[in-house]
Amino acid sequence: TRVEFEEVMESNPTADFMCIGHGNAYGLFNVDLSGYIIDGANADLLRNRERVVCIWCWAVDFGRRNKIRGFFTSMFISNPMEASWFGYDKLPVEVYDQQNIWLCDEVQTMLNENKAMDTWVDTLQEKSDKTLDFVRFNYDKIAYLNP
């Protein structure tokens, strides 16, 4: 919940932060998509952290808008419905799941290896499966921000 997020962030002001979910340029949606867990009103809780990872649709716009340092995805196609919205062929859901898991595994590896976040974009773009159109789309606009 939003309250739990704020309590955890306030109690751990220097801890790394990572979130994966659905959202837009204004923040990360709560579970029922009826509002935000993270938005401009509590973005300051992320601003001074060394490692922030935000994986949701349009997270990079949220990061830019709120001057947050870290790794961000842009529009990120994670399922067949989103693929159809952007004119890509609907593939079996397992293909999207496999790509989502791949990203999570790669992020976990880079975190565990303490790889500099400003190298993540190049690493992911080089290693991603460019044979899939939606994957190229996903990785074209990922970004490391350092405002």
Side-chain angles (χ1 to χ4, degrees), residues 1-18 37-38 42 45-46 49:
T1 68
R2 182 180 185 92
V3 170
E4 290 169 324
F5 164 76
E6 291 173 352
E7 287 173 356
V8 169
M9 294 295 103
E10 288 168 357
S11 299
N12 300 280
T14 61
D16 294 344
F17 174 78
M18 180 170 57
I37 291 176
I38 304 168
N42 59 15
L45 296 169
L46 301 177
R49 295 173 190 274

Side-chain angles (χ1 to χ4, degrees), residues 88-136:
Y88 294 103
D89 292 335
K90 281 188 179 182
L91 301 170
V93 70
E94 294 81 16
V95 174
Y96 301 95
D97 291 348
Q98 179 185 34
Q99 289 302 313
N100 295 335
I101 291 166
W102 181 85
L103 172 61
C104 293
D105 288 345
E106 289 297 316
V107 167
Q108 180 180 358
T109 297
M110 291 185 291
L111 285 168
N112 290 344
E113 293 175 354
N114 206 25
K115 188 168 184 170
M117 290 188 91
D118 62 354
T119 67
W120 287 24
V121 171
D122 288 340
T123 298
L124 291 168
Q125 288 175 339
E126 289 169 13
K127 293 175 74 175
S128 63
D129 183 354
K130 295 170 193 61
T131 65
L132 297 168
D133 290 338
F134 83 92
V135 172
R136 279 195 312 278

Side-chain angles (χ1 to χ4, degrees), residues 38-101:
I38 304 168
D39 61 17
N42 59 15
D44 60 310
L45 296 169
L46 301 177
R47 210 165 279 125
N48 296 317
R49 295 173 190 274
E50 288 297 316
R51 297 199 302 184
V52 172
V53 178
C54 295
I55 300 173
W56 73 72
C57 293
W58 310 114
V60 70
D61 297 326
F62 171 80
R64 284 189 181 110
R65 175 178 281 116
N66 292 287
K67 296 178 176 49
I68 300 168
R69 178 181 54 239
F71 172 80
F72 298 85
T73 56
S74 188
M75 177 57 211
F76 199 88
I77 296 170
S78 63
N79 60 58
M81 183 174 61
E82 291 172 346
S84 68
W85 293 343
F86 288 86
Y88 294 103
D89 292 335
K90 281 188 179 182
L91 301 170
V93 70
E94 294 81 16
V95 174
Y96 301 95
D97 291 348
Q98 179 185 34
Q99 289 302 313
N100 295 335
I101 291 166

